[in-house]
Amino acid sequence: MQVAHLYRTSLIVLMVGGIVPLPARALLTFDEGHDQLFATGTLSLAYDSNITANRFGQADTIFSGGVGLEYSRQAGIISVDASGGISTSHFDKFTSDDFSDPHFQGEFSAKDDRTAADLTLGVSRESQADIVSGIRAVSWDYEAGFDTKYRVTDRYSISATFGYTLRDFINAPVLTNLTTYSAGTNLYYTINSARDFFAGYNFSLQETSRGLSFYDHSFNVGIDGKILPKLNGTASIGYELQDPHGSTTDRSTGAMTSNVALTWNFSRRLKITGDVSQNFSAISTNGSVNTLASSLDASFSMNSKTSLTSGVGGGYNRFIGATADGRRDTYFTWNAGVTHTINDHFTTSLGYTYYENWSTASFSDFIRHTITLTLNIRF
């Protein structure tokens, strides 16, 4: 319990210290202000009623803390953003689940009158409940992506994207590592200064460490930008074909796909965001799933320092493959929270999340409540 006592003491000290107003500035600034370095930190206290996300999961209290650095450079047409750090969590009862997870992410961007390009790199260690398998999984996650867009004429633009991800599980032999290679292109037609029409094709190859692979072909059309007055975002519809390899029982599966992500700026204080999506993806149990998911979130600014958030969501998961055994999951979730800015360096938040999963696999039929108090620090 010495670790828990340290977290509680640190939380009190930082909250008291946060009452004293301090000027907003970076920890270090150099090269005439083009380069900035920030130090960040978090402290949190959480209650989780189901730490393994399964029917028999038990509750625990979790004390967490983290430190990191953020670097930003804005000069000319090139910008660089990078961040790294480590987060540590201590479980009050199930101490074998304690973890310390490092993370790093970098982004390099370039933009001129016609061309925009963005390169992202990331690596992190994650410890969390895996809802598909119902166990706590620890993995190393690697990602790399490159996006570019070129304006051919005043009306037409073309974009290309390439991606790579690897999720390497290190504590659960029953789970399969997942590797994804992706590439895609879109042709944009500018309807007016506020919105674009686009049509495109995306390909992905998803591989598991047990010799199963999925070739996905997706075609889509949609609109990006201002859909209606005060309503902005992206709305697309298409068709996706998934072709599995490595199993004699799995067959090609096709389905309509959608991706709708819209934000309604109802007023200066109230913003509502909605999302609907349907797609295929590989999962950690050596199979794939066709997911239909939707969510609706609202954010209300009470004043310049305090804001309220709330949201609801739900979805349907149709598991595919020889190991799926006809599994079907339906889930519902809702959340509520409040965030308060103490000063330019300290922000505190309190949030609650309810999650219920109904599954034909009785082991994955569960309810989960999570309450989290967090203090964020940035200098």
Side-chain angles (χ1 to χ4, degrees), residues 82-154:
S83 62
I86 187 169
S87 59
T88 301
S89 289
H90 169 72
F91 289 72
D92 186 42
K93 293 188 296 183
F94 298 93
T95 56
S96 60
D97 290 321
D98 291 358
F99 62 84
S100 295
D101 291 345
H103 61 88
F104 168 80
Q105 184 168 8
E107 181 177 4
F108 307 86
S109 303
K111 185 177 182 180
D112 60 20
D113 293 339
R114 284 188 174 273
T115 307
D118 188 77
L119 173 66
T120 57
L121 301 169
V123 58
S124 62
R125 188 176 186 267
E126 292 192 355
S127 306
Q128 59 186 351
D130 184 70
I131 294 177
V132 174
S133 61
I135 64 175
R136 290 200 66 84
V138 181
S139 65
W140 279 101
D141 297 345
Y142 307 88
E143 62 178 14
F146 178 74
D147 299 278
T148 184
K149 189 174 183 180
Y150 177 72
R151 181 167 58 84
V152 182
T153 68
D154 291 340

Side-chain angles (χ1 to χ4, degrees), residues 136-331:
R136 290 200 66 84
V138 181
S139 65
W140 279 101
D141 297 345
Y142 307 88
E143 62 178 14
F146 178 74
D147 299 278
T148 184
K149 189 174 183 180
Y150 177 72
R151 181 167 58 84
V152 182
T153 68
D154 291 340
R155 288 283 187 179
Y156 290 95
S157 300
I158 188 169
S159 69
T161 180
F162 304 90
Y164 166 83
T165 62
L166 168 62
R167 191 176 187 191
D168 183 11
F169 294 99
I170 60 176
N171 76 320
V174 298
L175 301 182
T176 59
N177 301 334
L178 303 173
T179 306
T180 301
Y181 308 88
S182 61
T185 184
N186 281 320
L187 177 65
Y188 291 86
Y189 173 76
T190 301
I191 301 173
N192 52 44
S193 59
R195 64 182 63 88
D196 294 334
F197 169 82
F198 65 89
Y201 164 76
N202 290 277
F203 167 80
S204 70
L205 169 60
Q206 302 177 78
E207 296 179 327
T208 74
S209 56
R210 297 184 183 177
L212 190 61
S213 60
F214 303 91
Y215 293 81
D216 284 2
H217 306 270
S218 177
F219 304 86
N220 62 89
V221 295
I223 295 178
D224 179 56
K226 181 178 290 186
I227 310 300
L228 294 171
K230 293 188 176 183
L231 188 66
N232 300 281
T234 301
S236 68
I237 189 171
Y239 185 82
E240 184 174 359
L241 176 67
Q242 183 178 83
D243 183 18
H245 291 262
S247 172
T248 58
T249 59
D250 297 342
R251 298 181 178 179
S252 297
T253 304
M256 297 295 295
T257 62
S258 62
N259 184 12
V260 179
L262 302 175
T263 299
W264 181 26
N265 295 302
F266 183 80
S267 67
R268 294 177 60 185
R269 292 189 173 186
L270 178 61
K271 181 173 69 174
I272 300 174
T273 301
D275 182 270
V276 178
S277 63
Q278 182 176 2
N279 52 50
F280 290 95
S281 60
I283 53 177
S284 58
T285 53
N286 201 41
S288 67
V289 62
N290 181 229
T291 299
L292 172 63
S294 64
S295 64
L296 187 65
D297 298 284
S299 175
F300 178 75
S301 299
M302 299 181 63
N303 50 52
S304 60
K305 290 183 174 293
T306 305
S307 63
L308 305 176
T309 59
S310 182
V312 296
Y316 176 74
N317 294 316
R318 180 171 62 92
F319 291 80
I320 304 167
T323 61
D325 197 26
R327 177 178 169 179
R328 303 289 185 267
D329 282 18
T330 304
Y331 72 89

Side-chain angles (χ1 to χ4, degrees), residues 11-45:
L11 183 62
I12 293 172
V13 171
L14 286 171
M15 290 187 69
V16 173
I19 298 174
V20 181
L22 296 170
R25 63 181 184 274
L27 181 67
L28 291 174
T29 301
F30 44 96
D31 193 15
E32 299 180 347
H34 293 304
D35 298 79
Q36 292 184 312
L37 184 67
F38 294 88
T40 62
T42 61
L43 286 173
S44 70
L45 173 64

